């Protein structure tokens, strides 16, 4: 059940009309449903039932502090990839003891701050990082909690830019090297081994790659046990896909059931790091049609949102559903390329879409809750969009639209 549905020919976010949101906050703006976020979280959480688990929401999917706050209140942990994301989690009321720190390029200052905050663990991605972390922790007289991110070399069968678990990808420690590096880590004075993990990619629409990866991790866990190295947790990363068009990914329940049936009675806390599957279908991008440009070759609907607001179509050629906020039954449908005002041919949101449009109409671009605003930029000196969080009849301005003066506020004339 979607929280974005038509009532009397008008699209609503929960109990609020998108026409009203556009009137009050202008366009383009992101609109999120608090209810979708909560119910997705709770579906993962309750599928684990009594099994020891921690859901660490991947902050990079959508890092607005109001969304982090919703999740923190539900007891969520967080997967971060920078100090900026850790600050967001703290600001939102998240518990640092439920934070795992991923990423291939953690800097020393980031390690230091995260250690000071007593995060749950560092997902270490290379031998060099391990050595640096040991040194930083030694200087602070601490032991750094570590889970190695292993690269299980499985094909996630997703877009090559978001496949991360193949041996040629930059992520994680090669499966073949993991044992040696674990032995090394076990002998480091300021490293405390707490777990093992992987993250094989994003927008994955079948269970098989997750199951393959988990089997490989468990094999490694068994081998390491022989060497006297034991863990408290296994982290299977994020990556569960959502429906953009006609994909049918496993539900959170099916996913969790598949995982727990492989882990069975092992005494391990299970960590998952979902991002897209929590927030992806909890958001739309609300935009206005500025012009209908009918050429002899193509029809263009030029909207006031662009690739700087939502880069996924340009970057991954990804498909987003586009719907009229007001159903125009009296206008004939035509085929449009829905494009932004940016000076790039790659600036499109959708191609060959059948829509009944007039200039000034509002459009909703669906499945924009993940990797939408968080990947947005100021390209073409466009202020970033506002973000609105709807909860029933309540409308919360979760982020103000950037002001024009913000665009060069940090710049200095010579
Ligand atoms: C991006 C990322 C995630 C979240 O991926 P989704 O596909 O959004 O679920 C989880 N863990 C790590 C390490 C990541 O880099």
């Amino acid at each position: 059940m979607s929280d974005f549905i038509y009532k009397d020919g008008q699209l609503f976010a929960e109990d609020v009309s998108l026409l009203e949101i556009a009137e009050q906050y202008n366009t383009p703006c992101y609109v999120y449903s608090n209810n979708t976020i909560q119910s997705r979280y709770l579906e993962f959480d309750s599928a684990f039932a009594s099994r020891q688990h921690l859901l660490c929401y991947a902050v990079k999917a959508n890092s607005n502090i109001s969304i982090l706050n919703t999740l923190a209140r539900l007891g969520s942990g967080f997967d971060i990839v920078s100090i900026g994301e850790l600050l967001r989690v703290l600001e939102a009321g998240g518990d640092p003891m439920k934070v795992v720190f991923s990423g291939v390029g953690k800097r020393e200052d980031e390690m230091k701050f995260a250690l000071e905050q007593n995060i749950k663990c560092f997902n270490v991605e290379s031998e060099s990082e391990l050595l640096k972390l040991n040194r930083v922790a030694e200087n602070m007289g601490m032991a750094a909690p570590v889970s190695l991110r292993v690269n299980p070399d499985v094909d996630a069968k997703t877009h090559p830019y978001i496949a991360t678990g193949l041996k040629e990808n930059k992520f994680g420690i090669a499966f073949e090297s993991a044992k040696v590096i674990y032995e090394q880590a076990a002998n480091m004075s300021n490293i405390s081994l707490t777990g093992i993990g992987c993250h094989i990619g994003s927008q994955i629409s079948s269970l098989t790659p997750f199951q393959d990866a988990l089997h490989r991790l468990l094999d490694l866990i068994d081998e390491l046990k022989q060497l006297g190295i034991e863990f408290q947790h296994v982290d299977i990363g994020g990556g569960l896909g959502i429906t953009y068009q006609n994909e049918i990914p496993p539900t959170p329940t099916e996913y969790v059931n598949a995982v727990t049936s492989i882990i069975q009675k092992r005494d391990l806390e299970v960590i998952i790091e979902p991002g897209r599957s929590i927030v992806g279908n909890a958001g739309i991008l609300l935009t206005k049609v500025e012009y209908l440009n009918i050429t002899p070759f193509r029809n263009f609907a030029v909207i006031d949102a662009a690739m700087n607001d939502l880069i996924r179509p340009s970057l991954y050629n990804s498909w987003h559903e586009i719907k009229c906020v007001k159903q125009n039954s009296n206008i004939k449908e035509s085929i449009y390329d829905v494009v932004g005002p940016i000076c790039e041919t790659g600036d499109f949101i959708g191609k060959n879409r059948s829509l009944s449009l007039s200039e000034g109409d509002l459009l909703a671009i669906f499945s924009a809750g993940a990797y939408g605003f968080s990947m947005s930029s100021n390209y073409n000196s466009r202020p970033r969009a506002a973000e609105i969080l709807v909860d029933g009849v309540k409308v919360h301005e979760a982020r103000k639209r950037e002001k024009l003066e913000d665009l060069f506020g940090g710049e200095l004339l010579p």
Side-chain angles (χ1 to χ4, degrees), residues 10 31 36 45 55 71 84 96 101 104 121 128 149 152 187 191 227 257 276 290 300 302 338 397 406:
Q10 255 191 56
V31 183
T36 308
D45 192 49
L55 196 153
L71 291 164
F101 192 172
V104 297
C121 83
S128 304
R149 174 172 174 181
N187 290 320
I191 295 292
L227 302 171
N257 287 346
R276 188 191 311 269
E290 290 286 351
F300 295 101
V302 183
V338 179
E397 188 177 24
D406 297 338

Side-chain angles (χ1 to χ4, degrees), residues 58 60-61 79 102 149 199 201-203 237-240 273-276 371:
K60 74 179 192 282
D79 170 47
S102 302
R149 174 172 174 181
H199 169 71
S202 198
Q203 186 51 17
L240 184 62
E273 305 169 350
R276 188 191 311 269
Y371 307 105

Side-chain angles (χ1 to χ4, degrees), residues 19-49:
L19 281 172
E20 279 170 31
I21 290 182
E23 257 167 45
Q24 192 171 351
Y25 299 99
N26 226 324
T27 54
C29 71
Y30 279 92
V31 183
Y32 307 123
S33 157
N34 204 54
N35 184 58
T36 308
I37 297 165
Q38 284 186 334
S39 29
R40 295 293 285 185
Y41 175 89
L42 292 171
E43 187 180 341
F44 277 108
D45 192 49
S46 54
F48 276 110

Side-chain angles (χ1 to χ4, degrees), residues 377-392:
S377 76
N378 292 121
Y379 188 40
N380 274 214
S381 287
R382 293 166 49 84
R384 278 179 297 171
E387 292 177 283
I388 308 297
L389 181 63
V390 172
D391 185 6

Side-chain angles (χ1 to χ4, degrees), residues 290-312:
E290 290 286 351
Y291 298 102
L292 294 179
N293 180 11
I294 311 304
T295 79
F297 310 102
R298 263 183 132 72
N299 303 329
F300 295 101
V302 183
I303 59 175
D304 65 0
M307 64 189 285
N308 75 298
D309 300 300
L310 179 66
I311 204 174
R312 299 190 67 261

